[in-house]
Amino acid sequence: DAKTTQPNSMESNEEEPVHLPCNHSTISGTDYIHWYRQLPSQGPEYVIHGLTSNVNNRMASLAIAEDRKSSTLILHRATLRDAAVYYCILSQTASKLTFGTGTRLQVTL
Amino acid sequence: NAGVTQTPKFRVLKTGQSMTLLCAQDMNHEYMYWYRQDPGMGLRLIHYSVGEGTTAKGEVPDGYNVSRLKKQNFLLGLESAAPSQTSVYFCASSYHDEQFFGPGTRLTVL
């Protein structure tokens, strides 16, 4: 399976944009980039996913590099409720997800 | 819709005891999964099912058994619990593009 690399932790101020990076230099042509997040004491929840083009939904935006070797999850205005561990996962389908240790996002006032 | 529910929320077992964790989903999803999460780590897949009556091994299946007799339910069994099975267990179901997770079961084996 292709591997992803994420920073262990990041900090952000509330109401500021947050850019969470993910490197995946060995991504294959059929791998989708999935993002999940896990709030404290909860199960993970889906955030967004994409293949080649940038994607937007109500929660976030996903910017994918042209060579697909990296991507960035963008939270447009971080709130305290966005404090969580964010996982970047490569998979051809939603049924084959391998979770790493992710990026712990802290949001401060 | 309740989504994915898990029973129980907490449990303490003694070494050698057995128990069953129940996962239920009301979204008519074909795929269901059991994961475990140890402190400071990501989730690891124990077993999964691609439909009623089917099960398959994941990354860490040893010491666990599963059954999927009904489409909406996925049971995880520990026949003889060991302290190494102390963990938080998450169930999930999926349809097409995303997995939906339950709230977790915190299991401690003494």
Side-chain angles (χ1 to χ4, degrees), chain A residues 9-14 18 20 78-80 82-86 103-108:
Chain A
S9 63
M10 293 185 63
E11 287 187 18
S12 173
N13 295 321
E14 196 176 25
V18 181
L20 296 163
T79 70
L80 296 178
D82 291 320
V85 177
Y86 287 78
T103 296
R104 183 172 298 277
L105 176 66
Q106 290 181 291
V107 181
T108 55

Side-chain angles (χ1 to χ4, degrees), chain B residues 31-50:
Chain B
Y31 286 57
M32 295 187 74
Y33 315 82
W34 276 107
Y35 295 87
R36 62 177 287 173
Q37 185 173 33
D38 299 319
M41 297 183 67
L43 281 71
R44 291 184 292 170
L45 184 64
I46 304 171
H47 286 280
Y48 65 99
S49 168
V50 300

Side-chain angles (χ1 to χ4, degrees), chain B residues 29-91:
Chain B
H29 289 167
E30 291 291 339
Y31 286 57
M32 295 187 74
Y33 315 82
W34 276 107
Y35 295 87
R36 62 177 287 173
Q37 185 173 33
D38 299 319
M41 297 183 67
L43 281 71
R44 291 184 292 170
L45 184 64
I46 304 171
H47 286 280
Y48 65 99
S49 168
V50 300
E52 181 179 317
T54 73
T55 63
K57 294 180 180 180
E59 180 187 354
V60 289
D62 293 343
Y64 305 95
N65 56 75
V66 287
S67 65
R68 183 98 182 268
L69 298 179
K70 293 182 179 180
K71 186 177 185 178
Q72 63 268 34
N73 295 337
F74 195 28
L75 278 63
L76 178 71
L78 287 73
E79 288 189 352
S80 180
S84 61
Q85 294 177 304
T86 293
S87 191
V88 181
Y89 292 84
F90 290 101
C91 176

Side-chain angles (χ1 to χ4, degrees), chain A residues 29-95:
Chain A
T30 54
D31 280 335
Y32 283 78
I33 302 158
H34 303 258
W35 283 85
Y36 282 73
R37 71 178 187 181
Q38 187 173 19
L39 280 63
S41 300
Q42 295 188 27
E45 64 175 344
Y46 169 83
V47 177
I48 201 166
H49 79 288
L51 184 63
T52 56
S53 303
N54 295 343
V55 185
N56 301 295
N57 66 20
R58 63 175 179 82
M59 288 182 70
S61 295
L62 176 60
I64 301 172
E66 199 168 328
D67 64 5
R68 299 209 327 125
K69 293 185 177 182
S70 66
S71 60
T72 303
L73 179 71
I74 302 166
L75 307 180
H76 296 285
R77 287 180 70 236
T79 70
L80 296 178
R81 288 174 294 182
D82 291 320
V85 177
Y86 287 78
Y87 299 98
C88 170
I89 302 167
L90 301 183
S91 179
Q92 295 180 16
T93 73
S95 62

